[in-house]
Amino acid sequence: MSKTYPVPSEYLERETEIKKSRFIARIAHVTSRDEVREWLDRAHRDHPDARHICWAYQLGRPGSAAEAAMNDDGEPSGTAGKPILGVIQHKDMGDVLVMVIRYFGGTKLGAGGLVRAYAGAAESVLSAVGRLVQQPMEMVDVTMGFADEQPLRHWCDTHGASVESVDYGAGVVMRVRLPSDSNAALVEFCEAQKLDYRFDR
C-alpha cells in the first residue's frame, strides 16, 4: 500500500444557505492537534456571533489515520461532526480539518435536515479544494555535541527536514521531522559525524 496520500493544497471557504441558515464551510491542511486548535480559535474570532462552529479532522493517511475527532458544538448529537467526518473519509483525504460555521436562520431543520446540511457544506468545500500528495514523514531524535548543531541544521535545510525541538543539557538532543525517503541520507550523515540517532517506530 502506498504511503503517500492527498492533503488539501490550500485554505478554502464556501458558503451555502438552507432555510435562511448560513453554513460557512472552511477547510485547512493540519498536521497536529495544536494546528487544529489554532484554526478553531481563528474561526471563533472571525465569527463570534455564530450559533455553532462544528468540525471534524483526520490526521495521517486515510484508512489508517493516526487520529480523527469531531464535535457537534451544541447541535443534536451526531448531526454535525459525524456527517462532516464521513465526507472527509469518503473523499479519501488526510491531514485535513473541516469546520462548518452556522448562523441560525429561524427555521429548525430537524435531525435529518441538519445531517444533510452539514454533510453538504463539507462536500462543497472538499470538492472545491485542490489536492497535494503528502510525502510520509518520520520523527528522529539526534544526540550530539554543541559543535554538531549547525551542520545538522544545514543538513535539514537541504533535505526538506524541519527541526521540531532542541533540548540543551550536557549535549544537544535535536528532534527532526523528515520525509521518509530521506531516512537513509540522515543515517549516513549521522554515522559519518558519529552522532547517535533514534527513529520513532
Side-chain angles (χ1 to χ4, degrees), residues 110-127:
L114 286 172
V115 169
R116 287 190 295 274
Y118 280 102
E123 170 76 32
S124 71
V125 77
L126 277 156
S127 295

Side-chain angles (χ1 to χ4, degrees), residues 25-200:
R26 291 179 164 188
I27 188 168
H29 178 207
V30 291
T31 57
S32 68
R33 271 183 286 184
D34 285 342
E35 288 182 16
V36 170
R37 276 193 291 270
E38 287 169 12
W39 279 107
L40 290 171
D41 287 346
R42 175 177 160 181
H44 283 282
R45 286 196 304 272
D46 291 347
H47 297 277
D49 300 326
R51 176 72 69 92
H52 306 282
I53 299 181
C54 307
W55 51 266
Y57 70 85
Q58 179 165 270
L59 301 180
R61 183 160 53 85
S64 61
E67 185 178 337
M70 57 194 170
N71 191 296
D72 294 314
D73 193 32
E75 293 281 32
S77 179
T79 62
K82 189 174 181 180
I84 296 169
L85 182 60
V87 178
I88 291 172
Q89 291 170 335
H90 178 70
K91 290 292 183 182
D92 200 36
M93 188 178 283
D95 295 344
V96 57
L97 165 67
V98 175
M99 301 156 279
V100 180
I101 300 145
R102 182 188 182 194
Y103 284 90
F104 184 54
T107 302
K108 291 189 174 181
L109 302 181
L114 286 172
V115 169
R116 287 190 295 274
Y118 280 102
E123 170 76 32
S124 71
V125 77
L126 277 156
S127 295
V129 78
R131 291 176 165 227
L132 289 175
V133 174
Q134 176 66 51
Q135 294 296 328
M137 304 293 284
E138 302 215 29
M139 301 291 282
V140 59
D141 292 316
V142 184
T143 304
M144 70 200 93
F146 293 99
D148 299 307
E149 181 180 349
Q150 280 312 118
L152 180 56
R153 284 185 180 274
H154 177 72
W155 185 94
C156 290
D157 289 342
T158 56
H159 288 80
S162 59
V163 177
E164 297 292 295
S165 64
V166 184
D167 290 325
Y168 298 101
V172 179
V173 179
M174 186 182 293
R175 189 161 179 80
V176 174
R177 186 172 188 264
L178 75 162
S180 294
D181 57 11
S182 295
N183 284 0
L186 179 65
V187 168
E188 186 178 321
F189 175 85
C190 289
E191 291 182 349
Q193 303 292 321
K194 297 184 169 53
L195 309 181
D196 290 328
Y197 58 90
R198 182 174 58 81
F199 285 90
D200 283 1

Side-chain angles (χ1 to χ4, degrees), residues 16-23 105 107 109 113 116-118:
T16 55
E17 186 174 307
I18 300 170
K19 294 184 179 177
K20 297 186 179 176
S21 276
R22 291 170 61 206
F23 292 87
T107 302
L109 302 181
R116 287 190 295 274
Y118 280 102

